[in-house]
Amino acid sequence: MNAALLSFKPNKHFDSDETAGRTYGQDTLQSPGILAAIERACTRIAPLWPLQQFVAVNPFLGLSDRSFAEACEFSARMGQGEMLMPASFYAEQYRLGYIQDADISQALQQTGSIWTLKQCLIELQDLPSHDTALPSNRCYTLADHLDAVHGSQWALLITDEISKWCAAYFDQGQSAWRMPWRGLPLYAAWRRAAAFDRTPELAGLPAFRQTISALPEQPIEAITQIFTAMGLPSARLDDACHRQLLTVAGWSAWVRYKHWQASPEQTQDALLQLLAIRLSYDYALISALASLQDIEAWRGHWQDAPLVNTDTAGALEIRHILQTAYELATQHPLFEKLASALASTSHRQAERKNLQAVFCIDVRSEVYRRALEMQSHTIETLGFAGFFGFPIEYIALGHHQGQPQCPVLLKPKFRIRESVGDANVGELRNILERRWLRKRLNRLWKGFKNSAVSCFSYVEISGLSFAGKLLSDSLGLTRPVVKPSIAGLDKTIVNRIGPVITRQRGRLIAKGPVVETGIALGDRIELARKALQGMSLTDGFARMILLCGHGSTTVNNPYAAGLDCGACGGHSGEANARVAAAVLNDREVRAGLAAQGMTIPKDTWFVAGLHDTTTDKVHLFDLDRIPHVFSEDLLLLRRWLDRASKLARHERAPGLGLQGHDAANLLKAIAKRSRDWSQIRPEWGLAGNTAFIAAPRQRTYHFEFDGRVFLHNYDYRQDADGAILSLIMTAPMVVASWINLQYYASTVDNRRFGSGNKALHNVVGTVGILEGNGGDLRVGLPWQSLHDGKTLRHEPVRLTVAIEAPAEMIEQVLANHAEVRELVDNHWLHLTRIDPLDNRCYRYIQPQHWQAVTDYGRER
């Protein structure tokens, strides 16, 4: 324990109730008022998905009702984190000529600032001195205040203690010995555990166990008593609750996720209990350690501190202006490309294609789409959400339940189970029994290795026998662990496993519950129709259509799910692609579509594929179901994919430090990285994302976007009622904004919004990671996913959205959806449109007011 902390001894015991009544007796606290404050604080917490389903989340989700500029000040004041880059970053960008005077002038106009360009340039010279400035009106917990005054480390100790107990309570099977009070609510379980925990007392906090045991058993009653003792002004209780939760921001986010899809009352109750735990530690400090002078000074801070600090407002405003200028500089090359495309190219060419390939809108697909299109003029690629419009729960062979294969904003509507093709009942039973037996034996062996009795003797006796495997794993020649999807299965069986789309009712495993799986015919027809309309693919079908999901191949990577498909809930898109292809090849489905006026030619076949974004290989599935008439088409597809993979790998190689290899050696080097357990940068994921474009592919066909743009196919001519545009702006665009803001936040303040050094990560409870062996649960992205060791690989800019559609259609969506309008009006993204008539780009200012995008006098 830190010496300063241990040396900080109690001055006197403090009768909190008496002093609270004497000082703030006129400000009586009632439970309804406290509950309202807690609810307001809870809405500011963004959820954190578990590692197995890790998806990008907008960390500013609870602040979207404020403007971006207001949120910057609020976040810094609350200690939530910095939302702007250090001042020296902008000064360097200006010195290098990336930010130009014209950008600053335009930023002044956009932000509505009263500053002049001359004033900004003068201020810019002194900005680096403000890099470490913190708002003097920053909100503090009592522990924060004591640490600042006395040099103690109570805040750190409290965070470590709460994190320790949350890890034990929320553990999902990682620990061999479970907490005995997991059946109790969080606060009650913690009180039971705290009765035995001497750590705070050993650290210098007297009578901690007695203080906690004397608190009320119900969390709201405990919070009410604690706030009464604290004597904080009722008008600041929501900020006080928020600040308390931010001291354990990671676990607060996890608790918010646990009830993300539950009722608001359940969400409030869960965070209320965590808040009660955190407040209890400050209450213990009040009761036994803090002096009257300390408490009065802390209370005065909350009572008198202004909500906006004029001393730091100027420095914050100039940084906000320069952030906007930096984003404008980033936008110019994009707008030049979009405006230079001919308006006539927005119409699809009449000739029939040999191949149409539908990829996820993920920025990594942009590189591969270009490489594939270069193989032949008879190839057309399209961009669509990677779950292909099929919100399913996919139940793997021999499992009780499955994983959601759809964006986290949606709930799965259908269950799809796996089965073994052409297997009779007896063979299927034998396959399942072998898999269960192998998995049980594997669990027993793992339990033996990890048990407290055998772990040391096991290593001493058997350790050397693993030397060969350890060496081959370290060299990237073998994979350290088997992929979970094929664990316990014979290699001859793997290729026979596939989804069952027809409606069935039965047991998924022996003695399991009877469940209904598959999709009814009427639902299959409706899903197919909506998917094709969403792709803007309602006619002109090619002979072969590839539905290509994506996934990533890495090992020893807690954030592996973050490299898979966010549209598939942090899983690979294989299941969705296979289900979608099977449905679209279904004769009954095609007949149903034809009855609605959407005819898929008989000589069109849908093929499912998976793009491995680490190796740039594309795997094809269910090839045995393809009619022989498509044999030559399949051979041609494979040839095109092989060539496209080589081009894509060659383009990505410099970013991985692998330039100079020929095609064969480059594939070996990249494959080796995917199996290397020590590799901290197997791929760059979505780093570098800057824009989202919804337009016909012909608008962007001739341009290289360097894997930085989400590309969604959209033709407003096929969307008379605007339903497709509404879906795009409320789902894929919002998800893209979540991804963008997570990368943005992890870049501007990785300590609070990111997860630090990847080499120090330790998985806790299988739900998240700690950096090192303690501290709060970390959120966001590791620094190695954003920085290559020399420079940033992700530019911290808000998402630029460009939609090719009439202004009235876009404005109608904003009018109908308040949450989308909030993102736009509060400047969490930049909304622009491409006018299909005059071929110019326009920036959204307000309804019926779009400003033409120009160069604004920038030097070329």
Side-chain angles (χ1 to χ4, degrees):
M1 186 60 60
N2 184 278
L5 189 152
L6 288 171
S7 65
F8 184 35
K9 300 300 182 183
N11 297 312
K12 61 180 288 187
H13 284 273
F14 175 65
D15 189 341
S16 56
D17 292 336
E18 178 184 347
T19 304
R22 182 177 70 244
T23 308
Y24 291 99
Q26 75 280 5
D27 195 7
T28 304
L29 297 177
Q30 300 293 333
S31 293
I34 292 178
L35 284 172
I38 293 171
E39 184 175 357
R40 288 191 295 271
C42 290
T43 59
R44 301 174 185 171
I45 304 296
L48 173 67
W49 264 257
L51 292 176
Q52 291 183 340
Q53 299 169 254
F54 187 82
V55 293
V57 176
N58 172 11
F60 314 121
L61 193 61
L63 306 181
S64 57
D65 59 333
R66 306 165 189 259
S67 72
F68 180 79
E70 292 170 344
C72 288
E73 192 281 331
F74 178 81
S75 181
R77 174 163 52 87
M78 292 302 300
Q80 183 170 356
E82 280 283 355
M83 290 177 56
L84 297 167
M85 291 293 285
S88 56
F89 172 84
Y90 303 113
E92 178 67 8
Q93 297 303 312
Y94 183 78
R95 186 187 69 79
L96 294 173
Y98 190 81
I99 297 177
Q100 299 183 12
D101 290 354
D103 299 317
I104 300 176
S105 296
Q106 178 62 12
L108 289 168
Q109 178 185 335
Q110 280 195 25
T111 58
S113 175
I114 61 174
W115 289 46
T116 66
L117 174 62
K118 184 177 180 181
Q119 289 174 317
C120 286
L121 295 179
I122 293 173
E123 188 71 15
L124 188 60
Q125 306 304 317
D126 300 325
L127 273 181
S129 63
H130 298 299
D131 272 1
T132 57
L134 290 174
S136 60
N137 62 334
R138 182 177 174 186
C139 298
Y140 289 105
T141 65
L142 179 61
D144 294 330
H145 177 77
L146 293 178
D147 290 348
V149 173
H150 298 283
S152 56
Q153 292 190 0
W154 289 114
L156 180 62
L157 173 71
I158 292 169
T159 298
D160 281 343
E161 285 292 287
I162 295 177
S163 184
K164 173 181 67 178
W165 292 118
C166 283
Y169 183 84
F170 291 113
D171 178 78
Q172 294 186 345
Q174 183 177 5
S175 62
W177 295 339
R178 311 296 293 275
M179 174 188 278
W181 307 290
R182 284 170 56 90
L184 296 174
L186 177 62
Y187 174 71
W190 170 78
R191 286 183 79 244
R192 294 286 187 89
F196 301 95
D197 186 13
R198 297 176 181 270
T199 304
E201 294 171 6
L202 292 174
L205 182 54
F208 174 78
R209 289 173 295 158
Q210 292 89 332
T211 301
I212 299 306
S213 64
L215 283 171
E217 294 184 2
Q218 296 302 316
I220 184 59
E221 294 175 7
I223 292 173
T224 302
Q225 177 177 320
I226 293 169
F227 272 138
T228 300
M230 287 180 169
L232 299 179
S234 58
R236 301 297 302 277
L237 285 186
D238 51 351
D239 284 350
C241 292
H242 186 203
R243 177 59 199 151
Q244 292 281 340
L245 291 173
L246 286 176
T247 63
V248 280
W251 287 110
S252 297
W254 167 254
V255 172
R256 183 73 192 277
Y257 156 76
K258 290 287 288 182
H259 299 280
W260 175 249
Q261 295 178 324
S263 66
E265 292 78 14
Q266 287 178 296
T267 303
Q268 174 182 299
D269 181 66
L271 281 172
L272 180 149
Q273 297 199 41
L274 182 61
L275 175 63
I277 294 173
R278 177 58 185 84
L279 281 168
S280 297
Y281 282 94
D282 270 13
Y283 180 73
L285 291 172
I286 288 177
S287 302
L289 190 64
S291 68
L292 179 61
Q293 181 181 3
D294 287 327
I295 297 171
E296 291 295 338
W298 175 64
R299 284 173 173 165
H301 167 79
W302 280 94
Q303 182 73 28
D304 304 327
L307 295 180
V308 176
N309 184 5
T310 55
D311 294 335
T312 57
L316 191 65
E317 182 179 2
I318 186 65
R319 288 166 63 203
H320 176 234
I321 292 168
L322 291 172
Q323 174 65 34
T324 304
Y326 177 66
E327 291 170 350
L328 289 169
T330 305
Q331 290 173 351
H332 287 298
L334 172 69
F335 290 139
E336 288 178 1
K337 291 176 180 178
L338 294 177
S340 65
L342 298 176
S344 60
T345 63
S346 61
H347 298 280
R348 183 182 293 173
Q349 297 177 4
E351 65 174 349
R352 187 184 187 190
K353 301 294 184 180
N354 285 334
L355 172 67
Q356 287 164 325
V358 185
F359 288 84
C360 182
I361 63 172
D362 188 289
V363 296
R364 291 166 292 182
S365 298
E366 186 271 332
V367 175
Y368 198 93
R369 288 175 64 180
R370 278 190 286 108
L372 183 57
E373 288 167 342
M374 291 176 62
Q375 305 311 310
S376 172
H377 69 279
T378 65
I379 298 175
E380 178 183 26
T381 70
L382 302 91
F384 188 59
F387 76 117
F388 301 107
F390 284 76
I392 60 175
E393 175 189 339
Y394 195 72
I395 305 173
L397 186 69
H399 284 245
H400 284 279
Q401 58 186 17
Q403 298 288 346
Q405 295 274 156
C406 58
V408 295
L409 296 175
L410 304 177
K411 289 186 177 180
K413 294 183 178 179
F414 309 97
R415 286 193 182 99
I416 299 294
R417 65 170 180 171
E418 278 186 340
S419 188
V420 180
D422 301 324
N424 57 40
V425 176
E427 183 185 6
L428 182 59
R429 182 182 295 112
N430 289 335
I431 292 171
L432 290 174
E433 288 178 351
R434 284 199 302 270
R435 185 175 204 189
W436 298 330
L437 177 60
R438 290 169 181 172
K439 294 183 79 170
R440 282 196 297 267
L441 291 174
N442 193 37
R443 282 196 297 269
L444 287 171
W445 181 242
K446 185 176 181 180
F448 167 75
K449 290 191 294 183
N450 294 335
S451 69
V453 176
S454 63
C455 61
F456 293 106
S457 58
Y458 164 77
V459 171
E460 291 179 356
I461 297 171
S462 306
L464 289 177
S465 65
F466 286 86
K469 183 69 166 62
L470 180 62
L471 180 61
S472 63
D473 289 346
S474 301
L475 295 175
L477 302 176
T478 55
R479 182 183 174 90
V481 293
V482 179
K483 292 182 179 179
S485 60
I486 62 173
L489 293 172
D490 294 331
K491 293 181 180 180
T492 56
I493 299 299
V494 173
N495 292 332
R496 294 173 56 192
I497 295 175
V500 179
I501 64 170
T502 55
R503 202 73 167 166
Q504 296 189 10
R505 184 176 174 81
R507 290 185 174 86
L508 297 169
I509 63 174
K511 299 181 181 180
V514 175
V515 297
E516 200 169 62
T517 61
I519 309 174
L521 177 59
D523 292 325
R524 297 205 301 273
I525 294 172
E526 184 67 8
L527 287 169
R529 181 183 65 81
K530 288 183 177 180
L532 292 173
Q533 288 179 338
M535 299 173 195
S536 295
L537 182 59
T538 56
D539 57 14
F541 295 95
R543 276 185 57 80
M544 186 162 280
I545 301 177
L546 172 65
L547 302 180
C548 196
H550 68 92
S552 178
T553 302
T554 61
V555 294
N556 192 32
N557 181 11
Y559 284 110
L563 297 177
D564 281 335
C565 183
C568 298
H571 303 98
S572 85
E574 175 187 337
N576 299 80
R578 296 178 75 175
V579 170
V583 168
L584 289 165
N585 287 327
D586 189 322
R587 292 182 180 179
E588 292 181 298
V589 170
R590 291 193 179 191
L593 291 174
Q596 298 181 25
M598 188 183 297
T599 302
I600 300 176
K602 292 182 179 179
D603 62 345
T604 290
W605 191 262
F606 290 82
V607 180
L610 183 74
H611 172 209
D612 187 328
T613 55
T614 308
T615 63
D616 276 311
K617 281 186 176 181
V618 172
H619 305 274
L620 302 178
F621 303 101
D622 305 318
L623 301 182
D624 56 327
R625 301 181 184 179
I626 300 178
H628 292 297
V629 69
F630 293 99
S631 298
E632 292 187 9
D633 301 89
L634 181 59
L635 288 173
L636 192 58
L637 171 61
R638 283 175 154 168
R639 188 179 305 130
W640 284 336
L641 292 174
D642 183 58
R643 293 174 180 172
S645 294
K646 292 177 181 178
L647 282 177
R649 281 193 288 269
H650 180 75
E651 180 172 336
R652 296 190 215 268
L656 299 172
L658 297 175
Q659 62 269 35
H661 290 74
D662 59 31
N665 287 323
L666 179 59
L667 175 57
K668 291 180 181 178
I670 290 178
K672 182 179 178 180
R673 290 173 68 92
S674 73
R675 297 189 297 265
D676 185 358
W677 61 266
S678 65
Q679 180 55 248
I680 56 177
R681 297 184 182 93
E683 62 159 283
W684 282 109
L686 293 96
N689 72 85
T690 60
F692 175 96
I693 301 174
R697 174 55 173 160
Q698 288 74 17
R699 171 68 62 180
T700 58
Y701 178 77
H702 297 287
F703 304 118
E704 295 183 6
F705 293 110
D706 303 319
R708 294 161 57 86
V709 178
F710 300 93
L711 293 176
H712 198 300
N713 268 64
Y714 175 66
D715 189 347
Y716 77 93
R717 299 170 184 83
Q718 299 183 33
D719 187 25
D721 61 357
I724 299 174
L725 180 60
S726 179
L727 182 62
I728 290 173
M729 292 182 66
T730 57
M733 187 186 84
V734 172
V735 171
S737 175
W738 276 29
I739 294 169
N740 170 265
L741 287 173
Q742 186 186 67
Y743 272 83
Y744 175 92
S746 297
T747 302
V748 297
D749 192 346
N750 194 266
R751 187 165 69 91
R752 293 183 177 89
F753 295 122
S755 59
N757 186 349
K758 196 174 186 178
L760 302 178
H761 284 180
N762 283 306
V763 175
V764 55
T766 74
V767 302
I769 62 102
L770 301 179
E771 187 182 13
N773 64 349
D776 191 17
L777 195 69
R778 297 304 302 264
V779 299
L781 302 164
W783 189 239
Q784 286 88 346
S785 294
L786 310 160
H787 197 281
D788 63 7
K790 296 180 180 179
T791 186
L792 281 173
R793 291 300 302 267
H794 180 77
E795 290 181 302
V797 295
R798 287 167 285 177
L799 188 70
T800 298
V801 176
I803 302 172
E804 182 170 331
E808 300 78 22
M809 291 182 67
I810 300 175
E811 290 177 13
Q812 188 60 51
V813 176
L814 297 179
N816 293 341
H817 299 280
E819 67 281 1
V820 179
R821 186 171 65 251
E822 225 173 39
L823 286 176
V824 176
D825 289 346
N826 289 335
H827 311 294
W828 293 97
L829 54 77
H830 302 275
L831 178 61
T832 61
R833 70 180 181 88
I834 309 166
D835 193 293
L837 300 179
D838 67 13
N839 209 42
R840 299 182 67 187
C841 297
Y842 293 83
R843 191 186 305 276
Y844 176 83
I845 306 299
Q846 61 186 29
Q848 300 182 356
H849 184 191
W850 296 76
Q851 183 184 63
V853 175
T854 67
D855 283 338
Y856 301 108
R858 277 181 60 89
E859 298 175 6
R860 292 181 178 273

